């Protein structure tokens, strides 16, 4: 039985949730968003995105739904759930803490 | 989320990527990575590992089951048979022994009365009933009933029905509410009260189409108009288990009964204990009341009369108890045999596939995973077996209901009991579970032979018990009843409402008409017919001329008295040993059976011409004949018997017409019916052949013997599969040893003998076990046996031989296979 993570697995989940917090999007849109916003600093390994999406969906942090996009294509659109928002807030907090901690250590040495 | 959707999602991503970066689809795909693997990963997010593994295990189990059809079949059949038989029998027995009676607070109800050698059941005399009712302090109600039959004498659809006479507070005492209308009032329960009647629910439906306006209609019963005041509830039943069509008020004449001078009515007494009063306390409380009644009992009999108060349930189950317990025991045996077999089969197989499991464990399978796989399989097998068992149980039960004799109470409405089914299922599944778990721990070497020995022991015990019952049944069926039973047709004719003169004329005309019919060899009338009796006379009240009366001797038991018309001994072919049979119009004569003659005249049957007075109120009669003994208590020979000629005074209103036919008795039924209806078109008639009547005597033992035979065969069969499985297993375990023996020159017959001797050792141990089981069981089933000693040497030998043959037959195929096998591949192994 898969273990339910009590904190987000790595940064990919955080990025996905953060992206979907603004607006629902499909997988490719999420990839694109992360690439453009991070100005190319972060690139998502496309292959690992989808298993992550489905895991988040299984854990009810996001929900996916087939819709037809502007140019008449079927795409699976994901949106963040209230549980996802809560988890995102916690993750952002812990990420900031980690970031702060690491920064302090870097400053100290 | 199915595979197509997963694929579509990836495809849509690739298309967007290709469009966005203006690259070829192939390039987009390359950039994406291994899409199959990713798809697999995505799917795994949706499937729980547990369910997935379960699916795997199930698939594996099904494949394994299909690969070993023999094993699969043996396990499923064993469980099905065990669960099926157990559930069916428990369901039947539960109804008889443990079900709740349809009476409010039934634990407070008791059957009370006096017992005496004169009567088989407890009884109360009318006078005592009124006294006890008045004087008792132990009960909230003390009520009475009397069974019997009566005729619905309406011109439309006359019917001979079963009548119950009940006191006005009978229903109240049992806590029974009428379905419609009301129970009887106190006034209606007086001998001069208004005639009223309650009808059974069944009669209400069949005769009145369940019409609501049936109340206050009249119904002519025995020629008297009676008002219908109520309808009995559908589940109404009488504690002594007769079916009832009508209930009428008991309506005893209290003054006359209390005077104890003339005719005294026999009734059944029932009572409801006051809250907090135990049966023992009730006995103590009733003792003085009972002793008060004893003053009316003739001095000679006082010490033979006892007070009896029994709880209703105990009293009711009395007759069926032995049979029920025997069935329970038998089914328990089969269940144990089945469980032992399931365990054995699993153990044998687990050891056989141990190597496979060790390899799988060595290459990394977790122990937990392996055990779970094994459990899945054993559970699947047990479950399948259990379901098949349910189907079998239903089928067994239907069969049992069809073949059961009608006098087994409440058999017809037995239905599968869920608790019982669950119990049996749990038991076998537990056996499967334990065996499934045992995979890792190799069973100790004695487990399997011990289980087989247990099976043989129980199967042997079952077989012996069945054989005993079979012999007892055979004895019962071949017991000489004193009459020739073939080609005899009988029907009871009831004329209670006619005047004695009319009746006498009727009987004379009837005999004339029947005698004139073609195909009638002989005919007669009598008030009862062997193997049953009706009237009884206290033996010590029979006086013989010149012999002083001896009142100190007690009752001397009962004598059976039968009232017969001329032609009785000829029709039934009872041998006339001395003198002759009755001739018409000789009311002052008497005929004795050999037994009573010898008892009255010190062993002599040369007693023609002696004077006998059968009972103090009777006339002195001359002995005109001595005849052979006949049965008057069913399968038991009964009481010594004498015969009185049918006369106007001795005609109680109903007689049995018996006809000896020259051909098949059934063929002449219509002719006889026509003749009787020519005399009275409204007489309800039911014909029975003598063989149908005697067949009923053994119906119950036949039923138990049939069921027990079925169980012992089932037990034997399951046991045989057990022996077969274990022998095969042991051979496979000893294959190296056998191969070595053969390689150094042992012959095939030596190998066979070696294997067979092992199984015979088990058989011998098993039979010792049988002896132990039987020593406990036999005293318990003694009551079921008729003139059969529990230890029958030739039966013991037969069972020993039978078990031996079965064990050898089950061990022979694997032994043969082993003896024929080529030792070389075995020796080269490893």
């Amino acid at each position: 039985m898969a273990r339910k993570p009590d904190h987000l697995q790595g940064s990919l989940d955080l990025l996905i949730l953060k992206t979907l917090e603004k607006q629902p999007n499909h997988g490719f849109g999420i990839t694109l968003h992360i690439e453009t916003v991070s100005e190319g600093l972060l690139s998502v390994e496309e292959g690992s995105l989808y298993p992550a999406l489905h895991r988040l969906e299984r854990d009810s942090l996001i929900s996916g739904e087939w819709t037809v996009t502007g140019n008449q294509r079927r795409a699976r659109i994901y949106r963040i759930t209230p549980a996802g928002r809560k988890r995102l807030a916690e993750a952002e907090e812990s990420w900031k803490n980690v970031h702060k901690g690491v920064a302090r250590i870097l400053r100290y040495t | 989320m199915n595979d197509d959707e997963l694929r579509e999602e990836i495809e849509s991503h690739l298309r967007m990527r290709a469009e966005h970066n203006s690259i070829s689809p192939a390039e987009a795909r390359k950039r994406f990575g291994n899409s199959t693997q990713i798809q697999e990963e995505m799917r795994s997010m949706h499937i729980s590992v547990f369910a997935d593994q379960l699916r795997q295990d199930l698939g594996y189990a099904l494949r394994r089951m299909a690969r070993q059809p023999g094993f699969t079949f043996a396990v499923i059949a064993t469980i099905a048979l065990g669960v099926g038989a157990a559930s069916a029998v428990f369901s039947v027995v539960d109804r008889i022994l443990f079900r709740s009676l349809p009476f409010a607070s039934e634990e407070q109800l008791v059957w009370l009365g006096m017992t005496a050698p004169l009567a088989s059941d407890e009884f109360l005399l009318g006078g005592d009933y009124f006294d006890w009712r008045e004087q008792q302090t132990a009960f909230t109600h003390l009520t009475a009933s009397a069974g019997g039959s009566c005729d619905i004498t309406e011109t439309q659809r006359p019917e001979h029905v079963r009548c119950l006479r009940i006191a006005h507070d009978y229903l109240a005492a049992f806590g029974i509410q009428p379905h419609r209308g009301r129970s009887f009032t106190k006034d209606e329960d007086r001998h001069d009260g208004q005639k009223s009647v309650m009808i059974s629910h069944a009669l209400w439906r069949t005769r009145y189409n369940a019409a609501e306006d049936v109340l206050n209609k009249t119904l002519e019963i025995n020629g008297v108009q009676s008002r219908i005041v109520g309808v009995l509830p559908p589940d109404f039943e009488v504690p002594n288990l007769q079916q009832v069509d009508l209930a009428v008020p008991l309506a005893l004449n209290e003054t006359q009964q209390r005077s104890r001078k003339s005719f005294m009515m026999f009734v059944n007494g029932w009572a409801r204990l006051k809250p907090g009063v135990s049966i023992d306390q009730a006995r103590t409380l009733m003792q003085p009341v009972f002793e008060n009644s004893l003053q009316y009992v003739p001095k000679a009999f006082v010490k033979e009369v006892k007070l009896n108060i029994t709880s209703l349930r105990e009293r009711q189950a009395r007759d069926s108890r032995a049979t029920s317990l025997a069935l329970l025991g038998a089914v328990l045996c089969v269940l144990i045999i089945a469980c032992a077999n399931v365990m054995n089969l699993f153990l044998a197989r687990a050891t056989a596939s141990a190597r496979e499991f060790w390899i799988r464990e060595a290459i990394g399978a977790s122990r937990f995973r392996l055990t779970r796989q094994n459990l899945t399989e054993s559970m699947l097998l047990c479950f399948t077996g259990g379901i098949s068992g349910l189907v079998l149980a239903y089928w067994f039960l239907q069969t049992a209901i069809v073949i059961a004799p009608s006098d087994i109470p409440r058999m017809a409405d037995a239905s599968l009991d869920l608790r019982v089914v669950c119990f049996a299922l749990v038991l076998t599944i537990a056996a499967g579970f334990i065996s499934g778990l045992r995979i890792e721990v190799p069973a100790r070497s004695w487990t399997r032979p011990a289980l087989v020995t247990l099976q043989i022991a129980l199967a042997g015990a079952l077989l012996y018990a069945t054989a005993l019952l079979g012999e007892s049944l055979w004895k019962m069926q071949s017991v000489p009843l004193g009459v020739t039973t073939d080609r005899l047709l009988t029907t009871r004719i009831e004329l209670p409402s006619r005047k004695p003169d009319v009746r006498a004329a009727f009987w004379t005309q009837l005999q004339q008409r029947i005698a004139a019919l073609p195909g009638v060899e002989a005919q007669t009338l009598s008030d009862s017919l062997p193997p049953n009796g009706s009237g009884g006379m206290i033996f010590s009240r029979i006086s013989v001329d010149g012999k002083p009366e001896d009142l100190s001797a007690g009752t001397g038991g009962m004598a059976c008295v039968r009232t017969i018309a001329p032609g009785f001994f000829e029709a039934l072919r009872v041998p006339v040993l001395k003198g002759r049979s009755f001739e018409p119009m000789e009311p002052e004569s008497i005929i004795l059976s050999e037994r009573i003659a010898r008892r009255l005249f010190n062993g002599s049957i040369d007693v023609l011409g002696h004077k006998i007075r059968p009972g103090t109120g009777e006339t002195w009669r001359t002995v005109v004949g001595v005849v052979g003994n006949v049965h008057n208590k069913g399968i038991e020979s009964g009481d010594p018997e004498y015969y009185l000629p049918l006369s106007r005074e001795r005609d109680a209103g109903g007689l049995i017409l018996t006809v000896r036919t020259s051909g098949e008795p059934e063929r002449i039924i219509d002719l006889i019916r026509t003749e009787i209806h020519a005399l009275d078109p409204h007489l309800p008639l039911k014909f029975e052949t003598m063989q149908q009547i005697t067949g009923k005597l053994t119906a119950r033992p036949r039923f138990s013997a049939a069921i027990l035979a079925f169980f012992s065969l089932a037990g034997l069969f399951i046991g045989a599969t057990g022996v077969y499985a274990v022998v095969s297993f042991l051979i496979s375990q000893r294959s190296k040893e056998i191969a070595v023996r053969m390689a150094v020159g042992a012959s095939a017959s030596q190998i066979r003998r070696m294997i067979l001797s092992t199984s015979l050792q088990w058989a011998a141990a098993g039979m010792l076990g049988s002896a132990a089981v039987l020593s406990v069981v036999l005293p318990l089933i003694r009551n079921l046996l008729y003139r059969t000693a529990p230890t029958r040497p030739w039966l013991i030998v037969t069972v020993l031989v039978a078990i031996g043959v079965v064990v050898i037959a089950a061990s022979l195929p694997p032994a043969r296979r082993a003896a024929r096998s080529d030792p070389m591949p075995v020796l080269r192994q490893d």
Side-chain angles (χ1 to χ4, degrees):
Chain A
M1 175 112 37
R3 206 160 40 87
K4 200 172 177 180
D6 44 6
H7 58 86
L8 286 173
Q9 281 185 334
S11 50
L12 181 56
D13 291 2
L14 173 64
L15 295 179
I16 293 171
L17 288 177
K18 192 72 194 167
T19 307
L20 292 177
E21 192 191 16
K22 291 230 159 50
Q23 57 177 34
N25 212 335
H26 46 70
F28 182 69
I30 296 170
T31 323
L32 217 54
H33 178 84
I34 294 172
E35 277 170 9
T36 42
V37 170
S38 71
E39 292 165 347
L41 278 177
L42 298 172
S43 86
V44 179
E45 210 183 302
E46 290 169 34
S48 58
L49 175 72
Y50 285 90
L53 280 173
H54 283 256
R55 189 180 59 247
L56 289 172
E57 187 181 8
R58 183 196 66 197
D59 296 344
S60 303
L61 300 176
I62 61 174
S63 64
E65 199 183 5
W66 285 100
T67 45
V68 178
T69 58
N71 46 4
Q72 300 301 312
R73 287 231 178 91
R74 255 164 72 79
R76 201 148 197 270
I77 300 292
Y78 294 92
R79 62 187 75 236
I80 191 163
T81 65
R85 280 180 203 282
K86 201 174 151 215
R87 184 64 66 82
L88 176 63
E90 286 162 14
E92 272 184 285
E93 188 61 29
S94 82
W95 182 255
K96 276 177 193 155
N97 286 341
V98 170
H99 184 79
K100 233 185 275 173
V102 171
R104 273 181 197 158
I105 289 166
L106 288 178
R107 257 203 315 273
Y108 185 77
T109 46
Chain B
M1 171 123 314
N2 60 34
D3 287 359
D4 286 345
E5 277 181 290
L6 296 174
R7 196 177 314 119
E8 191 184 348
E9 191 172 8
I10 293 173
E11 291 298 328
S12 96
H13 175 100
L14 293 175
R15 253 197 320 274
M16 289 192 251
R17 170 59 77 194
E19 267 168 40
H20 186 262
N21 293 32
S22 310
I23 50 173
S24 72
E27 213 158 323
R29 193 173 290 277
K30 215 160 99 192
R31 192 173 159 160
F32 188 79
N34 184 344
S35 67
T36 320
Q37 196 192 329
I38 288 165
Q39 202 178 311
E40 192 66 30
E41 255 179 79
M42 286 158 75
R43 192 178 47 211
S44 77
M45 293 301 157
H46 291 279
I47 299 164
S48 89
V49 187
F50 180 79
D52 197 31
Q53 285 186 356
L54 185 67
R55 207 170 56 180
Q56 255 183 35
D57 288 351
L58 279 178
Y60 176 76
L62 284 174
R63 281 196 302 277
R64 242 177 105 164
M65 279 162 67
R67 226 171 41 217
Q68 305 170 315
F71 171 81
T72 307
F73 174 78
V75 172
I76 292 181
T78 302
I79 296 176
L81 215 53
V83 170
S87 313
V89 166
F90 269 116
S91 305
V92 170
V93 169
D94 176 75
R95 299 282 302 165
I96 296 172
L97 288 185
F98 313 115
R99 65 144 201 166
S100 64
L101 303 174
F103 309 128
S105 310
E106 49 136 317
E107 69 285 347
Q108 295 173 340
L109 291 171
V110 296
W111 187 339
L112 87 170
M114 299 193 263
T115 52
L118 322 179
S120 57
D121 280 346
E122 296 87 332
F123 64 91
L124 271 178
L125 291 173
D128 300 329
Y129 160 63
F130 285 111
D131 285 352
W132 290 24
R133 232 187 126 93
E134 209 173 76
Q135 297 162 14
Q136 63 88 12
T137 50
F139 309 110
T140 56
H141 293 86
L142 193 159
T143 185
S145 69
S149 62
C150 53
D151 285 311
I152 294 180
T153 42
E154 300 273 332
T155 41
Q156 286 207 325
R157 286 177 62 195
E159 259 181 286
H160 187 62
V161 293
R162 288 155 299 196
C163 262
L164 179 74
R165 296 178 60 180
I166 56 175
H168 64 93
D169 57 353
Y170 178 93
L171 293 186
F174 282 96
I176 297 170
Q177 291 295 324
H179 186 65
R180 293 282 188 278
R182 57 165 175 86
S183 179
F184 301 121
T185 62
K186 224 170 175 168
D187 282 337
E188 284 164 342
D189 192 15
R190 293 157 53 91
H191 71 286
D192 50 359
Q194 202 201 2
K195 298 287 175 241
S196 20
V197 59
M198 294 184 78
I199 59 176
S200 76
H201 195 263
L203 197 76
W204 181 47
R205 288 204 356 241
T206 54
R207 208 180 161 93
Y208 295 97
N209 286 322
E212 290 296 333
D213 60 353
V214 68
L215 297 180
N216 292 324
K217 279 192 176 173
T218 58
L219 184 64
E220 193 183 300
I221 300 165
N222 292 344
V224 181
Q225 293 288 332
S226 308
R227 198 156 65 98
I228 299 173
V229 300
V231 177
L232 295 165
D235 62 350
F236 178 77
E237 65 177 53
V238 186
N240 39 355
L241 304 171
Q242 303 140 337
Q243 293 272 320
V244 162
D245 302 306
L246 292 180
V248 294
L250 188 58
L252 293 180
N253 183 338
E254 186 170 348
T255 342
Q256 180 232 331
Q257 292 289 325
R258 279 197 144 154
S259 72
R260 295 167 204 263
K261 283 205 180 92
S262 55
F263 170 75
M264 295 244 271
M265 179 81 183
F266 277 71
V267 298
N268 293 119
W270 318 101
R272 180 179 287 280
L273 293 167
K274 279 184 182 161
V277 176
S278 73
I279 289 188
D280 283 331
Q281 285 168 327
R283 264 186 216 118
T284 320
L285 286 170
M286 286 306 290
Q287 194 62 31
V289 182
F290 164 68
E291 273 158 23
N292 191 37
S293 291
L294 276 183
Q295 62 178 302
Y296 303 106
V297 175
K299 286 277 172 297
F301 314 145
V302 165
K303 56 175 185 278
E304 292 173 19
V305 180
K306 299 268 181 302
L307 170 70
N308 200 7
I309 303 179
T310 341
S311 93
L312 202 57
R313 166 174 298 277
E314 215 172 283
R315 181 59 181 76
Q316 248 191 343
R318 190 178 73 177
D319 301 331
S320 321
R321 195 176 204 106
T323 316
S324 302
L325 290 178
L327 284 185
L328 271 186
V331 87
L332 200 65
C333 281
V334 173
L335 208 55
I336 295 176
I337 296 177
C339 283
N341 211 36
V342 170
M343 289 187 73
N344 239 339
L345 287 166
F346 272 108
L347 285 178
R349 215 227 1 204
T351 325
S353 55
R355 181 191 293 261
E356 180 196 336
F357 274 82
W358 288 332
I359 293 171
R360 290 172 61 186
E361 198 180 346
I363 61 175
S366 79
R367 225 151 218 253
F368 171 74
R369 192 75 183 73
L370 286 178
T371 308
R372 218 184 79 184
Q373 205 169 59
N374 225 39
L375 273 183
T376 311
E377 194 188 347
S378 53
M379 286 312 199
L380 190 64
L381 280 169
C382 292
F383 192 69
T384 319
I387 298 294
S388 327
L390 266 182
V391 178
L392 266 187
Y394 178 78
W395 185 79
F396 285 159
L397 197 59
Q398 297 308 312
T399 316
I401 289 173
V402 171
I403 66 169
S406 54
D407 70 328
I408 290 192
R410 299 182 299 267
M411 178 76 194
D413 48 30
S415 61
L416 268 192
D417 188 310
L418 265 187
R419 289 168 302 158
V420 167
V421 172
C422 290
F423 170 74
L425 267 180
V426 164
L427 207 62
T428 41
I429 287 181
F433 189 82
I434 294 167
S435 350
L437 277 183
R438 294 290 293 268
I439 154 78
E440 299 151 64
V441 199
R444 283 185 208 90
S445 56
W446 54 264
T447 322
R448 262 175 296 269
L451 284 175
V452 167
T453 306
L454 175 70
Q455 289 180 322
I456 295 176
L458 291 176
L462 264 182
L463 201 60
Y464 184 71
T466 311
L468 268 186
L469 274 194
E471 193 193 340
S472 142
L473 179 65
W474 180 77
K475 279 202 175 137
M476 265 184 212
Q477 279 179 327
S478 51
V479 66
L481 299 170
V483 297
T484 315
T485 57
D486 64 322
R487 294 187 288 118
L488 279 179
L489 189 68
T490 74
T491 185
R492 178 171 270 280
I493 301 169
E494 298 278 354
L495 306 168
S497 49
R498 310 293 199 288
K499 291 201 168 63
D501 283 339
V502 181
R503 280 209 300 256
F506 180 95
W507 299 130
T508 320
Q509 281 179 29
L510 178 70
Q511 279 200 287
Q512 281 165 2
R513 276 173 178 263
I514 300 294
L517 280 180
V520 172
E521 266 182 20
Q523 48 75 38
T524 190
L525 290 167
S526 55
D527 66 341
S528 65
L529 210 54
N532 303 310
S534 61
M537 173 55 63
I538 296 163
F539 184 84
S540 61
R541 294 285 179 89
I542 302 172
S543 325
V544 177
D545 51 353
K547 209 171 139 187
E549 291 198 26
D550 179 14
L551 277 182
S552 65
T555 56
M558 291 295 283
C560 171
V561 48
R562 219 187 281 281
T563 304
I564 59 172
F568 181 84
F569 303 112
E570 291 76 7
L572 289 155
R573 302 228 168 120
V574 179
V576 178
L577 306 174
K578 298 279 172 196
R580 55 171 176 82
S581 57
F582 289 131
E583 273 158 16
M585 314 301 266
E586 49 169 1
E588 309 248 299
S589 48
I590 184 170
I591 290 179
L592 304 179
S593 71
E594 187 186 345
R595 220 165 110 213
I596 203 166
R598 287 193 195 281
R599 209 172 138 188
L600 286 171
F601 296 96
N602 299 320
S604 166
I605 59 167
D606 285 313
V607 296
L608 297 184
H610 275 280
K611 295 269 184 202
I612 284 180
R613 190 184 63 181
T616 30
E618 266 278 356
T619 50
W620 286 91
R621 294 165 177 274
T622 316
V623 178
V624 298
V626 177
V627 297
N629 298 321
V630 300
H631 278 215
N632 50 41
K633 222 171 194 174
I635 208 77
E636 303 296 337
S637 51
D639 303 316
E641 175 163 349
Y642 63 89
Y643 300 86
L644 298 179
L646 176 63
S647 65
R648 196 165 302 187
E649 295 71 41
R650 295 204 58 80
D651 170 13
L655 288 176
I656 300 172
L657 171 71
T658 307
V659 177
R660 178 167 292 279
T661 59
S662 49
E664 284 298 308
E666 281 90 349
R667 273 199 239 141
I668 203 172
I669 288 180
D670 284 335
L671 269 180
I672 295 178
R673 194 197 305 274
T674 315
E675 289 302 321
I676 299 174
H677 279 166
L679 288 172
D680 185 335
H682 299 306
L683 276 180
L685 294 174
K686 194 172 150 253
F687 288 89
E688 260 182 324
T689 67
M690 187 61 137
Q691 272 162 348
Q692 282 168 337
I693 297 174
T694 53
K696 278 189 206 154
L697 290 180
T698 50
R700 233 183 228 240
R702 248 202 325 264
F703 178 62
S704 350
I707 288 197
L708 214 56
F710 167 74
F711 281 147
S712 51
L713 285 183
L716 208 59
F717 172 75
I718 300 177
T721 59
V723 170
Y724 176 87
V726 174
V727 169
S728 312
F729 158 75
L730 284 184
I731 288 173
S732 75
Q733 246 198 352
R734 290 168 72 182
S735 60
K736 276 209 191 97
E737 180 204 331
I738 294 171
V740 170
R741 281 171 190 271
M742 288 174 80
V744 299
S747 69
S749 73
Q750 277 172 320
I751 299 290
R752 267 204 307 273
R753 216 173 308 138
M754 180 185 87
I755 294 163
L756 288 186
S757 79
T758 317
S759 341
L760 281 178
Q761 277 167 27
W762 301 338
M767 307 225 236
L768 284 181
S770 299
V773 173
L774 284 172
S775 68
V776 178
V777 169
L778 281 184
L780 300 178
I781 65 165
R782 222 194 177 98
N783 291 346
L784 296 177
L785 300 177
Y786 172 77
R787 292 192 190 165
T788 307
T791 38
R792 303 280 299 157
W794 72 267
L795 270 187
I796 295 177
V797 172
T798 314
V799 169
L800 283 179
V801 170
I803 294 276
V805 166
V806 168
V807 168
I808 290 178
S811 330
L812 211 50
R816 276 221 177 109
R817 261 201 311 274
R820 268 206 309 269
S821 65
D822 180 4
M824 286 326 283
V826 182
L827 290 174
R828 285 208 190 95
Q829 218 178 7
D830 301 324

